[in-house]
């Protein structure tokens, strides 16, 4: 069902499904696009709350994808950070919505009854709207509520309510006010306009929320108006600076300054190469790079034998190597001069 529905959606912010079907053995499959990146849950868990500007940008992208899905009469019903993949493209965040496993056509009343008559409510309680938790009929304002919780999570690093069941969520949502972001976010206060916007999106009564995703986006834009760049870029306590390049095999900790790999750096400069604890960067001399790279090749070619070239003085010092390797090296030494010999008819050699 997910593959069939999502394959109809053609939007840059929604995962693409190219093919689906069933094998002769009965296995159901589908083929989807390959993405590089991380889901929002993993990013916030590792790096902490985001800057306000980054969070707004991501939420606007998710909202655009949901607005398109809603225009096709499709509800997501499981909107949460786990289901949003974030890639870094040309130093910018690019969000893509995925996992439409609980997708529902808005006019598919029978499907809704089948999901709720057993008394089991599907979804993730911490991000679930009160009406979804109650098993009521849903509309776009349910996804809107969930997106509001995602926004709250990006800024606070946690959800408003710690609920692991739908019943617990209903109880907390009915009897408890939404905790202010100021209680969860330190070092980078959220403007009152953004706080009020999130509180409106998380209203228990759906009629008190924005009427649809398009209204949600318009109100978010209005709430963001007049916020200074300093406020947008302020980093909360316990958070790390945003990554500016797609991470491919690189683990870097801005808090400690440690770096574990050298596939790519995070600033847009030339990739660094780690050589046994030393680093060849873009500013290193060509002699130094050649010296250290030669050291790597020699180490990998012969165990216990190494070739080290002095980068500081630009001279090569040949260590103890295998006989065959040493002979090949000696052939390249300056003492073997190349002499051009005139081409003449050779004389016969007497036996």
């Amino acid at each position: 069902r997910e593959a069939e529905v999502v394959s109809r959606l053609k939007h840059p912010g929604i995962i693409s499904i190219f093919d689906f079907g069933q094998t002769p053995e009965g296995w159901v499959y589908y083929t989807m696009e390959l993405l590089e990146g991380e889901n929002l849950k993993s990013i916030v868990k590792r790096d902490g709350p985001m800057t306000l500007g980054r969070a707004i940008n991501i939420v606007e992208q998710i909202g655009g994808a949901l607005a398109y899905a809603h225009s096709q009469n499709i509800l997501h019903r499981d909107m949460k950070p786990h289901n949003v993949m974030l890639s870094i493209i040309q130093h910018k965040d690019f969000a893509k919505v995925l996992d439409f496993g609980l997708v529902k056509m808005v006019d598919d009343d029978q499907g809704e009854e089948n999901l709720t008559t057993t008394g089991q409510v599907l979804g993730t309680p911490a991000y679930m709207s009160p009406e979804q938790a109650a098993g009521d009929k849903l509309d776009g304002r349910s996804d809107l509520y969930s997106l509001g919780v995602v926004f709250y999570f990006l800024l606070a690093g946690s959800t408003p309510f710690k609920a692991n069941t739908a019943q617990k969520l209903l109880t907390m949502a009915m009897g408890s006010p939404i905790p202010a972001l100021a209680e969860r976010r330190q070092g980078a206060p959220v403007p009152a306009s953004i706080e009020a916007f999130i509180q409106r999106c998380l209203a228990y009564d759906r009629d008190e929320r924005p009427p649809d995703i398009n209204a949600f986006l318009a109100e978010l834009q209005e709430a963001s108006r007049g916020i200074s760049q300093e406020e947008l870029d302020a980093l909360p306590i316990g958070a790390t600076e945003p990554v500016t390049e797609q991470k491919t095999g690189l683990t870097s900790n801005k808090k400690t300054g440690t770096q574990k790999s050298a596939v790519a750096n995070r600033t847009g400069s030339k990739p660094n190469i780690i050589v046994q604890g030393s680093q060849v960067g873009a500013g290193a001399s060509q002699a130094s790079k050649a010296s250290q790279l030669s050291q790597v090749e020699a180490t990998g070619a012969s165990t216990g034998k190494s070739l080290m070239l002095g980068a500081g003085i630009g001279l090569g010092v040949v260590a103890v190597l295998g006989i065959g390797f040493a002979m090949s090296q000696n052939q390249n030494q300056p003492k073997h001069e190349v002499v051009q010999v005139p081409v003449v008819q050779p004389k016969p050699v007497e036996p």
Side-chain angles (χ1 to χ4, degrees):
R1 178 184 177 89
E2 175 187 0
E4 180 181 0
V5 172
V6 178
S7 64
R8 308 177 197 171
L9 301 178
K10 306 299 181 185
H11 188 277
I14 297 176
I15 189 75
S16 296
I17 291 184
F18 304 116
D19 188 26
F20 61 93
Q22 189 171 10
T23 67
E25 296 78 17
W27 292 97
V28 177
Y29 70 90
Y30 55 83
T31 306
M32 58 200 307
E33 68 176 302
L34 177 65
L35 300 177
E36 289 189 19
E38 292 182 272
N39 66 60
L40 292 180
K41 172 71 174 181
S42 298
I43 293 173
V44 173
K45 183 178 180 180
R46 183 190 65 242
D47 297 340
M50 293 184 175
T51 64
L52 177 59
R54 189 184 192 193
I56 290 174
N57 176 43
I58 292 171
V59 169
E60 286 180 335
Q61 292 184 52
I62 299 171
L66 289 179
Y68 171 75
H70 290 182
S71 72
Q72 304 300 306
N73 294 326
I74 294 175
L75 301 180
H76 190 285
R77 300 202 306 171
D78 197 22
M79 176 49 52
K80 56 185 178 182
H82 319 55
N83 289 339
V84 178
M85 183 71 78
L86 194 69
S87 301
I88 309 299
I89 301 177
Q90 295 183 347
H91 310 287
K92 296 181 180 179
D93 290 323
F94 187 82
K96 184 157 290 204
V97 177
L98 41 118
D99 197 354
F100 281 73
L102 299 183
V103 69
K104 176 186 180 294
M105 303 297 293
V106 173
D107 55 358
D108 184 8
D109 293 331
Q110 182 178 0
E112 184 71 15
E113 291 172 3
N114 289 338
L115 289 173
T116 58
T117 52
T118 61
Q120 182 181 23
V121 177
L122 301 181
T124 305
Y127 297 90
M128 190 184 294
S129 69
E131 59 269 24
Q132 185 175 0
D136 296 338
K137 187 174 181 178
L138 306 180
D139 58 25
R141 291 171 293 182
S142 180
D143 281 350
L144 185 155
Y145 178 98
S146 299
L147 182 53
V149 180
V150 171
F151 195 10
Y152 188 104
F153 173 79
L154 296 181
L155 294 175
S158 62
T159 56
F161 302 121
K162 301 291 185 180
N164 54 12
T165 66
Q167 185 60 41
K168 185 179 294 185
L169 172 70
L170 274 175
T171 302
M172 298 180 72
M174 285 189 296
S176 306
I178 304 296
L181 280 168
E183 300 175 10
R184 307 280 183 89
R185 181 182 174 91
Q186 304 296 323
V190 173
S193 58
I194 296 295
E195 181 79 69
F197 169 75
I198 292 178
Q199 292 283 338
R200 173 166 158 77
C201 294
L202 301 185
Y204 180 85
D205 185 349
R206 67 178 115 185
D207 291 332
E208 296 179 5
R209 303 174 205 153
D212 53 42
I213 290 290
N214 288 320
F216 172 100
L217 293 172
E219 291 188 24
L220 175 57
Q221 186 175 21
E222 182 62 29
S224 305
R225 195 183 308 277
I227 299 178
S228 68
Q229 193 63 46
E230 182 179 0
E231 291 176 296
L232 292 173
D233 295 339
L235 201 64
I237 293 176
T240 60
E241 295 182 11
V243 175
T244 58
E245 282 194 1
Q246 181 64 55
K247 298 191 301 175
T248 306
L250 173 68
T251 301
S252 181
N253 189 326
K254 288 291 185 178
K255 296 178 182 178
T256 63
T258 59
Q259 183 167 301
K260 299 181 180 179
S261 178
V263 177
N265 60 18
R266 307 176 83 169
T267 60
S269 60
K270 297 180 180 179
N272 294 331
I273 302 173
I274 303 301
V275 183
Q276 295 183 350
S278 61
Q279 189 175 51
V280 181
S285 67
Q286 294 298 324
S288 176
K289 293 179 183 179
S291 167
Q292 296 183 15
L293 289 177
S294 296
Q295 181 183 347
V296 174
E297 293 175 357
T299 302
S302 178
T303 304
K305 301 175 181 179
S306 62
L307 175 64
M308 304 189 65
L309 300 180
I313 61 175
L315 298 177
V317 178
V318 180
V320 178
L321 300 175
I323 297 176
F325 184 77
M327 292 178 63
S328 65
Q329 291 295 310
N330 290 335
Q331 292 177 357
N332 296 324
Q333 299 304 315
K335 64 181 182 180
H336 296 284
E337 298 180 357
V338 179
V339 180
Q340 293 184 348
V341 180
V343 179
V344 297
Q345 184 68 29
K347 298 180 178 180
V349 179
E350 297 182 359

